[in-house]
Amino acid sequence: MTRAGEDIAVTPVDLAVERIRAVYRSWNRDTSVAQMRRDWDAAFGSCALPVSCECINADGIDGEWITPADAPPDKAILYVHGGGFRIGSVSSHRELIAQIAVASGCRVLAINYRLAPEHRFPAALDDAVAAYGWMLEQGLQPTNVAFAGDSAGGNLALSAKLSLRDRGLPLPVAGLLMSPWTDLAATGASYVSRGEADPIHQRPMILALAENYLGQGDPRDPLVSPLYADLNGLPPLLIQVGNRETVLDDSTMFAEKARSAGVDTELQIWDGMIHVFQMFSEIPQARQAIAVAAGFLRRHLHITAERGPQ
């Protein structure tokens, strides 16, 4: 397949980018935040994987158990979706979450945390911490719970661990982070060096989303931007990021700092990949990355059953 009038093959990544751009093109200055959220859910809300979906209320936070067949009842993943703290939901991320659930053989609790600008920091962080507390109240042990998140959700997965640690509370056993947004001040060199390569996210957009989340808050607050936190005592982390992302350095700088703090950290930089490429199952590398992530989660959650490719 080629683009009309060109001898350039259209790749699965190109098709994924076009899906995103099609949504962005439908928006203008008059588009409400509520409409943006509906459009995002409609564009990415399909899921045909063999999972059960059970809506729950976790101490006032809407969530959903996404469970594959034969998942052990005493293991779970808490998933925090991305969307710049502004859009996104369990609906928009259900397919990605289901892919992780099926590949890992583990049930996932995905939550609809409060979004900005209606609910600024620390509302989303408070919801992530509260959802974890609710899981423990249901009888799950911290050693049987892992956190996972993408983009802003990766930020929240990290910030929640830091908040728990600072309160002296038990931490989950591991964390999967996909294109985590760790620096809301956007100081990384990749915001410039990957500016042309990244087809979607540019620094002005990133800073606008940060302001939407923070208002007049400090983007270098350690619970806002985990890059600036003391990282001692965090559980093992797997970070996956594409090398076309302007937020690439949010992962590389964070991984370096985490390792210096003694955190067991694996950083995977996927060649030619875009922001949260794992969302797009039509991209072969997305399926490969999820398989790797599932192996990481199985090891730390001690789930022994191997799952085949989906």
Side-chain angles (χ1 to χ4, degrees):
M1 181 179 179
T2 60
R3 296 189 184 96
E6 298 182 9
D7 293 326
I8 302 173
V10 176
T11 69
V13 174
D14 294 330
L15 296 174
V17 169
E18 180 53 33
R19 285 179 64 187
I20 299 169
R21 285 177 168 169
V23 180
Y24 284 0
R25 284 196 296 267
S26 70
W27 297 341
N28 57 46
R29 290 175 179 268
D30 297 324
T31 305
S32 68
V33 173
Q35 184 63 52
M36 290 179 182
R37 291 170 184 163
R38 288 192 294 269
D39 292 346
W40 201 254
D41 286 355
F44 300 105
S46 63
C47 178
L49 290 166
V51 293
S52 67
C53 300
E54 177 191 359
C55 293
I56 58 95
N57 184 289
D59 285 342
I61 303 159
D62 289 334
E64 190 171 301
W65 279 116
I66 297 176
T67 306
D70 302 321
D74 61 337
K75 317 278 187 179
I77 300 163
L78 174 62
Y79 194 93
V80 194
H81 69 79
F85 305 106
R86 181 179 175 90
I87 61 174
S89 68
V90 175
S91 293
S92 65
H93 283 66
R94 188 176 287 114
E95 181 175 350
L96 172 58
I97 298 165
Q99 290 276 6
I100 294 169
V102 171
S104 66
C106 187
R107 61 179 178 151
V108 181
L109 176 64
I111 59 169
N112 285 317
Y113 57 85
R114 287 171 290 175
L115 298 173
E118 303 97 314
H119 306 284
R120 299 192 192 272
F121 172 80
L125 173 58
D126 289 345
D127 288 352
V129 171
Y132 175 63
W134 180 86
M135 295 172 80
L136 300 187
E137 290 170 1
Q138 306 312 299
L140 286 161
Q141 298 300 310
T143 52
N144 287 332
V145 177
F147 283 5
D150 66 279
S151 193
N155 173 300
L156 291 171
L158 283 169
S159 296
K161 293 187 192 76
L162 293 166
S163 179
L164 291 165
R165 182 206 61 190
D166 292 348
R167 300 183 203 180
L169 298 173
L171 298 180
V173 71
L176 166 64
L177 310 171
M178 293 172 283
S179 302
W181 188 15
T182 69
D183 179 16
L184 271 63
T187 61
S190 59
Y191 283 100
V192 176
S193 65
R194 296 298 190 273
E196 292 187 9
D198 191 320
I200 302 296
H201 300 99
Q202 301 300 311
R203 190 169 187 268
M205 173 187 178
I206 294 294
L207 292 175
L209 287 171
E211 183 178 0
N212 183 72
Y213 177 55
L214 292 174
Q216 299 301 311
D218 181 4
R220 290 177 173 80
D221 182 322
L223 292 180
V224 167
S225 295
L227 180 63
Y228 302 100
D230 170 6
L231 304 179
N232 284 285
L234 290 186
L237 302 173
L238 171 61
I239 304 172
Q240 296 180 334
V241 65
N243 76 343
R244 290 180 62 182
E245 301 190 45
T246 53
V247 295
L248 172 62
D249 281 355
D250 281 47
S251 289
T252 58
M253 293 191 301
F254 180 86
E256 181 179 0
K257 184 171 181 179
R259 289 168 179 157
S260 296
V263 180
D264 180 359
T265 305
E266 180 179 358
L267 172 65
Q268 298 177 346
I269 302 175
W270 289 75
D271 186 48
M273 292 299 103
I274 58 174
H275 191 64
V276 196
F277 63 95
Q278 298 91 334
M279 282 190 69
F280 303 97
S281 58
E282 63 268 31
I283 300 175
Q285 293 91 333
R287 299 191 295 272
Q288 295 166 14
I290 287 174
V292 172
F296 168 83
L297 292 166
R298 283 197 305 270
R299 285 194 304 276
H300 289 284
L301 290 168
H302 303 290
I303 298 173
T304 57
E306 290 291 330
R307 301 289 168 140
Q310 301 303 315

